[in-house]
Structures are given as structure tokens and as C-alpha cells.
């Protein structure tokens, strides 16, 4: 009976080591996946901000083209709008801080 119990204990010990090894490997994969998700989420947020910035810049350029009849008026209007955009960006940064 003691030999049978010893064999069972050895089998349980081997299975526990296998399960522990699998758990460690899966935990490592989970941690790597979570890190990748975090990195990709940050990247998505940056890209979305860039898209919004480019959309606004595009809209301003369309506005400038429609406002200015000649190149001098277009240049002046673009300068005013650019200054306003910079002020707005500074305000947004101040609000985020």
C-alpha cells in the first residue's frame, strides 16, 4: 500500500509541476498581451488626435481658400486662423494639465 501511495503522490507531484509550468507560461502570455493592448491603445489615441488635428487644419484651409479672393488676402486670413488655432491648442493643453 505504501508503494502505491508513493506512486500516486509522485504522479500528483508531476502533474502539479506541469500545471504550474502551464500557468506560468499562460500568465506570461497574458502579461505580454496586456502590455501590447496598452501600447496599441496609446497609439490609437495619438493617431485619433492627429486625425482630428488634420481634419481641423483641412477645414481651416478650405475656409481660407473660400475667404481670400487674392493671394494676399488668403495669406492674411491663413495667418489669423493659424494664430487662433495655436491659441486654441495652448488652451486645450492648459485644460489637460
Amino acid at each position: 500500500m505504501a508503494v502505491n501511495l508513493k506512486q500516486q503522490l509522485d504522479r500528483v507531484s508531476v502533474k502539479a509541476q506541469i500545471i504550474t509550468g502551464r500557468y506560468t507560461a499562460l500568465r506570461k502570455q497574458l502579461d505580454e498581451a496586456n502590455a501590447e493592448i496598452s501600447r496599441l491603445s496609446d497609439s490609437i489615441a495619438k493617431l485619433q488626435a492627429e486625425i482630428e488635428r488634420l481634419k481641423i487644419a483641412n477645414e481651416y484651409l478650405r475656409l481660407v481658400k473660400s475667404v481670400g479672393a487674392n493671394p494676399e488676402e488668403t495669406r492674411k486670413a491663413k495667418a489669423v486662423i493659424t494664430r487662433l488655432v495655436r491659441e486654441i491648442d495652448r488652451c486645450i493643453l492648459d485644460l489637460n494639465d
Side-chain angles (χ1 to χ4, degrees), residues 56-68:
I56 291 169
N58 186 27
E59 189 63 33
Y60 290 142
L61 288 174
R62 287 182 186 187
L63 178 64
V64 166
K65 288 290 181 185
S66 67
V67 170

Side-chain angles (χ1 to χ4, degrees), residues 49-84:
E50 179 69 9
I51 288 171
E52 285 303 313
R53 187 189 67 76
L54 291 173
K55 282 181 180 179
I56 291 169
N58 186 27
E59 189 63 33
Y60 290 142
L61 288 174
R62 287 182 186 187
L63 178 64
V64 166
K65 288 290 181 185
S66 67
V67 170
N70 63 38
E72 182 62 26
E73 288 179 22
T74 301
R75 188 186 61 74
K76 287 180 183 178
K78 186 175 180 179
V80 169
I81 292 172
T82 301
R83 183 180 50 82
L84 292 172

Side-chain angles (χ1 to χ4, degrees), residues 9-27:
L9 185 59
D10 289 341
R11 283 195 308 254
V12 169
S13 178
V14 168
K15 289 179 182 180
Q17 289 175 350
I18 291 170
I19 289 173
T20 303
R22 287 181 182 171
Y23 171 79
T24 302
L26 287 173
R27 184 66 191 185

